[in-house]
Amino acid sequence: MTSDQIIRNTVEFVKHTLNGAEGGHDWWHVYRVWKTASHIADFEKVDRLTVELGALLHDIADSKFHNGNEEIGPEKARAFLRTLNVQDDVIDHVVHIIANISFKGGKE
């Protein structure tokens, strides 16, 4: 599967998963984060697939809506990315991003 196909499948997964989510954590929030991250990636030396997947999946299961469980989002992202046969190193990096991103401040 190409990177473009992985991104397309991820967009559809996120849209479906976040259908009906509250405004601050809906598809349009994720879309804005994704487009901003993609724009920054145009000017930085990064692995674009990792950046885009991290942006698209960063709120896939926000802990605020899962009794504070901060493991659900990273676990859900890992399981989904495995269905697309994404390389393990990319999955690990994306999961690390999701586990450490927070408006309140990352863990590291």
Side-chain angles (χ1 to χ4, degrees), residues 34-95:
W34 173 41
K35 291 303 177 181
T36 300
S38 295
H39 177 73
I40 293 168
D42 289 340
F43 301 96
E44 300 294 331
K45 187 174 180 171
V46 297
D47 177 63
R48 186 171 198 93
L49 180 62
T50 300
V51 169
E52 290 193 49
L53 290 173
L56 284 165
L57 295 167
H58 83 277
D59 260 351
I60 199 61
D62 192 291
S63 64
K64 289 186 286 294
F65 305 109
H66 293 88
N67 297 319
N69 185 339
E70 295 186 10
E71 299 301 318
I72 291 177
E75 290 171 9
K76 192 169 195 170
R78 182 182 300 281
F80 170 72
L81 293 173
R82 283 186 175 153
T83 70
L84 301 181
N85 296 315
V86 173
Q87 293 179 331
D88 287 338
D89 61 325
V90 173
I91 292 174
D92 290 343
H93 197 164
V94 170
V95 166

Side-chain angles (χ1 to χ4, degrees), residues 96 99-101 105-108:
H96 180 80
N100 290 282
I101 194 167
K107 297 176 190 170
E108 295 182 41

